[in-house]
Amino acid sequence: MWDVFEQPWTLLGAAVIVLLIVFTVRAVLPEKRRLWLWLFPLGVAGLAVGLDALVATDLEKINELVKTGVRAVEQEDCAAIARLLSEDYADSYHKDKQAAVSHCRSRLVPPAIEKINKMGEEVRITSPEAVATFTVIVKFDKNSVWAQSYKPSAMVKLQFHLRRQPDGTWRVRRAEVQEVDKVAVTSWGVARATNAQLQAIVACQS
């Protein structure tokens, strides 16, 4: 809350306090009125805006990574997705990064995803590690196998384990699907399902 690198409001609040002090000094001690006194609150306010604009925090970097990932999925761009994964990536279904990218290229074939809307998020950072959980609405392309075999859209809850790299960037080292339409799933079961299995899922839910 008080991290001046996460948000500018702490320093802006301090600038207001300094401004009030300057007003008080000028009112109580007229002989101390100096134009340079105004530089104190202006300097603090400028520092607040400058830090917010110039210093990208871990949270901001992670949010930018997520935005980049969403765009990559919407554009069925597996090469862009691969760049977001760490070299030691592995999850409950993919043994390594190469397996995950290969799976992406086999399943994320146009037409696939029309739009992804983020509904909720929770990010816990214990640098150099972080865990980010997101709930999204995935709207499938009407001509995709997902829309034709499952339904037009799905609410998906995903969890990402991230690690900060030596160059300061963040990469995903593990990703898991936790829920689909508020139904808990194990590993990547739904993501790797065949058309027949998707139809069976629909039948179970109806």
Side-chain angles (χ1 to χ4, degrees), residues 25-34:
V25 169
R26 288 173 60 85
V28 176
L29 302 171
E31 68 278 8
K32 297 293 184 180
R33 292 180 180 179
R34 299 290 186 273

Side-chain angles (χ1 to χ4, degrees), residues 24-163:
T24 302
V25 169
R26 288 173 60 85
V28 176
L29 302 171
E31 68 278 8
K32 297 293 184 180
R33 292 180 180 179
R34 299 290 186 273
L35 289 176
W36 54 265
L37 287 174
W38 299 111
L39 294 177
F40 288 106
L42 289 175
V44 176
L47 180 62
V49 176
L51 286 176
D52 186 58
L54 297 177
V55 180
T57 66
D58 287 334
L59 181 59
E60 290 170 338
K61 291 178 181 178
I62 291 173
N63 283 333
E64 185 58 35
L65 181 147
V66 171
K67 291 179 183 178
T68 302
V70 167
R71 288 195 298 268
V73 173
E74 290 177 339
Q75 296 169 5
E76 292 100 10
D77 188 348
C78 292
I81 293 174
R83 290 192 290 271
L84 304 179
L85 307 182
S86 64
E87 292 304 316
D88 61 346
Y89 178 90
D91 59 48
S92 60
Y93 181 63
H94 308 101
K95 65 178 182 178
D96 53 28
K97 178 178 178 178
Q98 182 177 354
V101 175
S102 296
H103 187 197
C104 173
R105 288 172 175 156
S106 68
R107 300 296 284 173
L108 202 59
V109 178
I113 308 296
E114 181 176 324
K115 185 69 177 177
I116 298 176
N117 293 312
K118 187 169 64 176
M119 304 297 294
E121 66 176 79
E122 178 185 355
V123 181
R124 301 192 308 275
I125 302 174
T126 52
S127 189
E129 307 285 336
V131 177
T133 305
F134 297 95
T135 300
V136 298
I137 298 294
V138 181
K139 183 178 181 181
F140 304 114
D141 186 285
K142 64 180 181 180
N143 296 317
S144 70
V145 62
W146 302 97
Q148 295 178 358
S149 300
Y150 185 49
K151 60 181 189 176
S153 64
M155 179 183 293
V156 183
K157 184 178 181 180
L158 307 110
Q159 187 172 82
F160 299 93
H161 295 258
L162 307 101
R163 180 180 291 125

